[in-house]
Amino acid sequence: MDIEIKEMLIEMQKDIKNISVRVKNMETNQANVSNAQHKNWHMLADKLGQYDSILYKIYGKKPSEKE
């Protein structure tokens, strides 16, 4: 009986280590995705700024300016 319980505890310990590694990987992946999204928003903002400048050169005013 004691041997069976000991084996079960060893298996549980292995499972917990495995889960810990998987959670760590998930956290790392989430951080990487978050950083990539942040970078993409900055790139989009830069492109919108360029677009705004082009419209200003073409029409003499930015779209955000009211008539």
Side-chain angles (χ1 to χ4, degrees):
M1 180 75 168
D2 287 341
I3 293 174
E4 185 179 336
I5 292 173
K6 189 173 183 178
E7 289 174 357
M8 289 174 66
L9 289 172
I10 290 170
E11 280 302 312
M12 286 177 65
Q13 188 177 29
K14 289 178 185 176
D15 289 343
I16 290 170
K17 285 181 183 177
N18 185 354
I19 291 169
S20 295
V21 168
R22 291 168 62 186
V23 167
K24 175 83 171 136
N25 289 340
M26 285 174 30
E27 289 171 347
T28 300
N29 289 341
Q30 287 176 335
N32 290 339
V33 167
S34 178
N35 289 336
Q37 286 177 335
H38 183 81
K39 182 179 176 182
N40 287 341
W41 279 113
H42 279 284
M43 289 172 33
L44 176 61
D46 290 344
K47 291 297 174 190
L48 290 174
Q50 292 173 6
Y51 175 73
D52 211 30
S53 294
I54 290 169
L55 290 178
Y56 181 74
K57 289 178 182 177
I58 293 172
Y59 298 109
K61 63 182 173 182
K62 294 182 181 181
S64 57
E65 294 176 352
K66 301 280 185 196
E67 289 186 21

